Amino acid sequence: MLRALWGEAGLPAAAFERTLDPALEREVRAEHAEATRLGVTGVPAAQLAGMDTALVGALPLETYRRWLRRHLPEAAALVE
């Protein structure tokens, strides 16, 4: 069934085999667990390295800029 959905979405058939890789599944499950721990409830979500929170949702660009200025004062000039 997943292979059929993959094809209906127009994705390359050969690439489907990668989804069967147990290492990839472990990686995806670990990332999902981390997102759940951070309280992420949707996409997109952004997290700065070393922070225990994430910014969730398709937010206005200015929201991301304020967030970066607040948490990365040294990068303030880069987000202007």
Side-chain angles (χ1 to χ4, degrees):
M1 177 165 166
L2 288 178
R3 188 180 300 271
L5 290 171
W6 186 276
E8 286 178 29
L11 299 169
F16 181 79
E17 297 307 315
R18 183 168 182 265
T19 68
L20 304 175
D21 180 355
L24 178 61
E25 181 180 351
R26 283 191 301 276
E27 181 181 340
V28 169
R29 288 184 182 275
E31 288 178 6
H32 180 266
E34 176 69 5
T36 300
R37 186 186 71 72
L38 292 171
V40 171
T41 57
V43 293
Q47 178 192 22
L48 294 174
M51 290 189 67
D52 287 338
T53 59
L55 197 58
V56 180
L59 303 169
L61 180 58
E62 187 53 36
T63 300
Y64 289 99
R65 286 181 173 151
R66 278 194 315 268
W67 184 61
L68 288 170
R69 281 193 295 266
R70 187 176 324 124
H71 295 291
L72 298 174
E74 68 279 5
L78 299 174
V79 296
E80 294 304 322

